[in-house]
Amino acid sequence: MASRSRGVDASTLRRWRRGQPLEGPGFIQISERVAKYPEHDLEVYLAARHIVPSTE
């Protein structure tokens, strides 16, 4: 599963998916209880939120 390879807990993905408005990376809803996250979508979402602390 994509969340394991990226260090994102499944409960975090679930919260993003169920919130209103929707948050998080794009996903594919397989059934009411199963959603899959394309690896690329998860990588792009996380990269856009990457913060590098200033060294000043």
Side-chain angles (χ1 to χ4, degrees), residues 2-14:
S3 65
R4 288 188 190 123
S5 67
R6 294 286 155 220
V8 179
D9 191 75
S11 65
T12 299
L13 292 172
R14 188 179 317 110

Side-chain angles (χ1 to χ4, degrees), residues 13-56:
L13 292 172
R14 188 179 317 110
R15 186 170 20 88
W16 287 343
R17 190 173 64 246
R18 292 182 179 169
Q20 291 297 326
L22 290 177
E23 296 182 58
F27 61 93
I28 300 165
Q29 192 74 47
I30 304 297
S31 69
E32 184 178 321
R33 295 183 53 142
V34 177
K36 298 292 182 180
Y37 291 84
E39 191 76 24
H40 176 75
D41 288 0
L42 192 54
E43 288 175 11
V44 169
Y45 181 80
L46 295 174
R49 283 145 187 82
H50 183 95
I51 298 170
V52 178
S54 174
T55 58
E56 295 178 14

